[in-house]
């Protein structure tokens, strides 16, 4: 509603106007959309509207922290109508009737901005479950805890004898937020240990222990005590003290017992069973024990008898050793066949024949008069010889190109020139031959898997081979140089 001003008698009309939540009622007879301004100011222009019946408003249920919304929905009704927020129950929460933020009723606003609110508090006694269980479904421990609805909680670590926590198991639920309906379940999965101990005792009715052993198996597994026969005793099948089977207890307290009676007139000796008969193949053999009676840390629990088969050792026999077949010298894998033996071994070689068992056939001459190591200088001289061959090839190539460039249209050749060329060819061929011999000698006498030393008995041979190769290189090109000088002299004399 508003008051407007204009000239008396002037024609005016009421303007259109959008009002949220309402619709103009064009057909209403009460509409006065235009007229002339009356001098007494009594002109009233009217536009009639009807309230919309689908105007939205919001209903919200939330915690008293002012942030967590439990539920929120949009409702619809007639603009301006009075509405109230319905009551609602949420598991794990209680309506806070005294909260000042409650907006329990109101009139629907045409702009849809009416929000009705009910505030709740989280219960502090909401239940949740904690379960510790084995991968086969056996429950080790189960308890019901209580906490504030929505609070973050974790399942505590716990140790159970005979079981190990399986951190990688997909069924683990180690933490979560407490659900209002109490359906949060935290789970820690465990695997049964396979080395849990139990006892097996064979004893006489008078308390004499015939045999006693500690066995190992999976926690919770069903086991039986095997039948066994002892001299001078007979198994007492009806004795109430017999404990013939059971499940392995996590604390290792399971004791299986077979009771025997002593045969009249026969002496009973405490001994191991003569012919033990194992009726249950799942029972594991007795673990090796240390001085304290506990299983060794690194012992492996076999599930079946293990037969170790030693492969035959290749033997190289000296033909002269036929008269002394029992004298055998074993050369370990780490030694090199042409390495020098000890003085005692050399003396034995002079006195009698022996057989050599070589553990490393990859280096056939390694270890012969060696030291069980390889020499660095031998490798260096071998590599130097190979490099000298490379230098020789480059030198020959350069000299050939240079000689082709200086070659005259005619060449003279005599017997002396042919002899010089043969000498030079001899030295040139000798260099790669000596290098190859050095490399082959290194391969046959050195085992680089052994410890390294600087020199050994083969170093002298490598030095000689390398020195001869260097001398051959010098003579080969010195001969060529002399030939070139002779050519120049002939040219000079001709001029």
């Amino acid at each position: 509603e508003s008051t407007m001003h204009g000239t008396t008698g002037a024609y005016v009309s009421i303007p259109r106007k959008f009002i949220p939540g309402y619709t103009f009622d064009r057909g209403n007879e009460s509409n006065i959309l235009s007229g002339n301004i009356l001098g007494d100011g009594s002109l009233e222009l009217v536009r009639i509207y009807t309230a919309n019946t689908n105007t939205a408003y919001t209903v919200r249920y939330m915690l008293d922290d002012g942030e967590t919304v439990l539920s929120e929905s949009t409702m619809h009704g007639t603009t301006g109508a009075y509405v109230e927020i319905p009551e609602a129950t949420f598991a794990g929460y209680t309506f806070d009737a005294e909260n000042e933020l409650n907006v329990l009723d109101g009139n629907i606003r045409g702009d849809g901005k009416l929000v009705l609110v009910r505030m709740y508090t989280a219960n502090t006694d909401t239940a949740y479950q904690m379960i510790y269980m084995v991968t086969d479904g056996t429950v080790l421990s189960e308890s019901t805890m209580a906490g504030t609805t929505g609070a973050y909680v974790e399942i505590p670590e716990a140790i159970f004898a005979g079981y190990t926590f399986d951190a990688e198991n997909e069924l683990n639920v180690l933490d979560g937020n407490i659900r209002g309906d109490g359906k949060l379940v935290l789970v820690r999965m465990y695997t049964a240990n396979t080395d849990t101990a139990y006892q097996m005792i064979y004893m006489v009715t008078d308390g004499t222990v015939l045999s006693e052993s500690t066995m190992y198996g999976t926690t919770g597994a069903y086991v039986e005590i095997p039948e066994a026969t002892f001299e001078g005793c007979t198994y007492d099948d009806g004795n109430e003290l017999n404990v013939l089977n059971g499940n392995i207890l996590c604390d290792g307290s399971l004791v299986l017992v077979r009771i025997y009676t002593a045969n009249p007139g026969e002496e009973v000796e405490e001994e191991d069973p003569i012919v033990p008969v194992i009726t249950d193949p799942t029972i594991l053999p007795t673990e090796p024990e240390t001085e304290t009676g506990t299983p060794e840390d690194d012992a492996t629990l076999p599930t079946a008898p293990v037969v170790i088969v030693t492969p035959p050792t290749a033997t190289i026999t000296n033909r002269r050793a036929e008269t002394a077949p029992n004298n055998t010298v074993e050369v370990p894998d780490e030694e090199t066949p042409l390495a020098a033996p000890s003085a005692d071994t050399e003396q034995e070689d002079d006195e009698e024949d022996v057989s050599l068992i070589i553990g490393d056939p990859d280096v056939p001459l390694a270890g012969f008069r060696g030291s069980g190591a390889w020499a660095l200088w031998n490798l260096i001289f071998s590599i130097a010889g190979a490099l000298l061959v490379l230098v020789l090839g480059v030198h020959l190539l350069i000299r050939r190109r240079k000689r082709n460039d200086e070659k005259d249209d005619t060449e003279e050749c005599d017997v002396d020139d042919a002899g010089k060329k043969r000498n030079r060819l001899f030295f040139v061929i000798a260099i790669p031959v000596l290098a190859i011999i050095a490399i082959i000698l290194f391969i046959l006498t050195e085992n680089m898997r052994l410890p390294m030393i600087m020199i050994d008995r083969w170093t002298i041979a490598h030095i000689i081979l390398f020195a001869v190769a260097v001398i051959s290189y010098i003579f080969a090109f010195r001969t060529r140089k002399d030939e070139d000088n002779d050519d120049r002299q002939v040219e000079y004399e001709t001029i």
Side-chain angles (χ1 to χ4, degrees), residues 173-470:
V173 183
L174 305 181
D175 52 26
N177 295 88
I178 300 177
R179 295 178 53 177
D181 56 5
K183 292 184 179 181
L184 173 64
V185 180
L186 302 181
V187 181
R188 289 179 73 92
M189 301 299 296
Y190 291 76
T191 55
N193 295 345
T194 57
D195 58 352
T196 305
Y198 65 98
Q199 305 296 318
M200 293 198 311
I201 301 176
Y202 301 84
M203 64 187 305
V204 187
T205 52
D206 61 2
T208 303
V209 176
L210 300 173
S211 176
E212 181 176 3
S213 59
T214 300
M215 309 296 289
Y216 298 88
T218 303
T219 305
Y222 174 81
V223 291
E224 297 179 351
I225 184 171
E227 297 179 2
T229 302
F230 297 89
E231 289 186 0
C233 297
T234 302
Y235 170 57
D236 186 359
D237 186 27
N239 198 297
E240 296 180 352
L241 298 180
N242 284 323
V243 182
L244 304 181
N245 53 58
N247 295 88
I248 300 177
L249 300 176
C250 58
D251 57 1
S253 61
L254 174 65
V255 180
L256 302 180
V257 182
R258 291 181 74 91
I259 304 298
Y260 292 75
T261 56
N263 297 337
E266 297 185 16
E267 183 179 355
V268 177
E269 297 182 0
E270 299 182 16
E271 58 183 6
D272 290 335
I274 298 176
V275 184
V277 179
I278 299 178
T279 57
D280 184 358
T282 62
I283 296 179
L284 300 174
T286 304
E287 272 287 49
E289 296 185 355
T290 60
E291 294 179 358
T292 58
T294 57
E296 296 178 351
D297 294 338
D298 296 333
T300 303
L301 300 176
T303 57
V306 178
V307 179
I308 300 177
V309 180
T310 303
T313 304
T315 304
I316 300 176
T317 305
N318 193 323
R319 293 181 178 274
R320 298 179 302 164
E322 296 177 356
T323 59
N326 296 327
N327 297 327
T328 300
V329 177
E330 293 186 358
V331 180
D333 290 345
E334 293 80 4
E335 290 201 5
T336 319
L338 277 187
S342 63
D344 294 341
T345 305
E346 294 180 359
Q347 183 177 0
E348 292 177 1
D349 290 342
D350 296 337
E351 294 177 355
E352 56 186 355
D353 298 326
V354 297
S355 297
L356 295 178
I357 300 176
I358 299 179
D360 186 2
D362 295 338
V363 188
L365 297 182
F368 179 74
R369 293 188 177 275
S371 58
W374 68 278
L376 176 61
W377 275 107
N378 295 5
L379 177 62
I380 294 175
F381 282 120
S382 299
I383 295 175
L387 293 177
L388 186 62
V389 173
L390 180 62
V391 172
L392 173 66
V394 175
H395 200 159
L396 289 176
L397 180 62
I398 294 175
R399 294 295 293 267
R400 179 178 292 275
R401 291 182 178 178
K402 182 177 180 181
R403 190 169 184 83
N404 290 338
D405 294 340
E406 298 176 354
K407 189 174 182 181
D408 295 330
D409 296 337
T410 61
E411 293 183 355
E412 296 181 356
C413 180
D414 54 20
V415 177
D416 293 337
D417 292 339
K420 292 179 180 180
K421 290 183 179 181
R422 283 195 298 271
N423 292 337
R424 184 174 65 253
L425 181 61
F426 172 78
F427 289 119
V428 169
I429 294 176
I431 296 173
V433 170
L434 292 171
I436 293 174
I437 293 175
I439 293 174
I440 294 176
L441 179 62
F442 180 83
I443 293 174
L444 294 178
T445 60
E446 305 296 335
N447 185 350
M448 297 183 70
R449 290 175 294 181
L450 300 179
M452 183 188 74
I453 59 177
M454 297 305 296
I455 61 174
D456 62 8
R457 294 182 180 273
W458 297 98
T459 305
I460 297 298
H462 283 277
I463 293 176
I464 294 174
L465 291 172
F466 182 71
V468 173
V470 172

Side-chain angles (χ1 to χ4, degrees), residues 14-75:
I14 185 171
R16 297 178 179 180
K17 186 176 184 179
F18 171 75
I19 302 176
Y22 296 89
T23 302
F24 172 56
D25 186 2
R26 183 176 301 275
N28 196 299
E29 296 179 354
S30 299
N31 285 324
I32 304 174
L33 304 179
S34 59
N36 295 91
I37 300 175
L38 299 175
D40 57 3
S42 60
L43 175 64
E44 290 185 357
L45 301 180
V46 180
R47 290 178 70 92
I48 304 298
Y49 289 77
T50 57
N52 295 343
T53 58
N54 61 345
T55 304
Y57 65 97
T58 302
V59 174
R60 184 177 298 159
Y61 304 86
M62 63 188 308
L63 288 183
D64 53 6
D65 60 4
E67 296 179 358
T68 305
V69 176
L70 301 176
S71 175
E72 181 174 320
S73 59
T74 300
M75 310 294 289

